[in-house]
Amino acid sequence: MSPAGSAAPVGTLTKGTVSPRRSVPPQIPQPEYVGKQVPESYTGPDAFDQATIERIRAA
């Protein structure tokens, strides 16, 4: 088994092609990362408060 936990043998990926960009109706909002090389860094709060983190660690 590979280090990532997958049973797939190493070297099975093959290079593909990127399909043309599809249009999206204007009423659907686009995420901020559309058209960028990388998304902006997340600067918001942690997903869990300290009490929740402690409960996760204990579980």
Side-chain angles (χ1 to χ4, degrees):
M1 194 175 285
S2 70
S6 171
V10 175
T12 58
L13 296 178
T14 58
K15 186 175 181 178
T17 57
V18 177
S19 61
R21 178 176 260 189
R22 295 179 176 174
S23 63
V24 177
Q27 67 270 21
I28 298 176
Q30 293 185 344
E32 62 86 14
Y33 55 80
V34 171
K36 296 182 181 179
Q37 289 293 324
V38 295
E40 292 180 16
S41 295
Y42 179 71
T43 59
D46 290 334
F48 302 108
D49 60 24
Q50 193 60 39
T52 304
I53 292 171
E54 292 305 320
R55 288 196 304 271
I56 292 170
R57 288 181 178 153

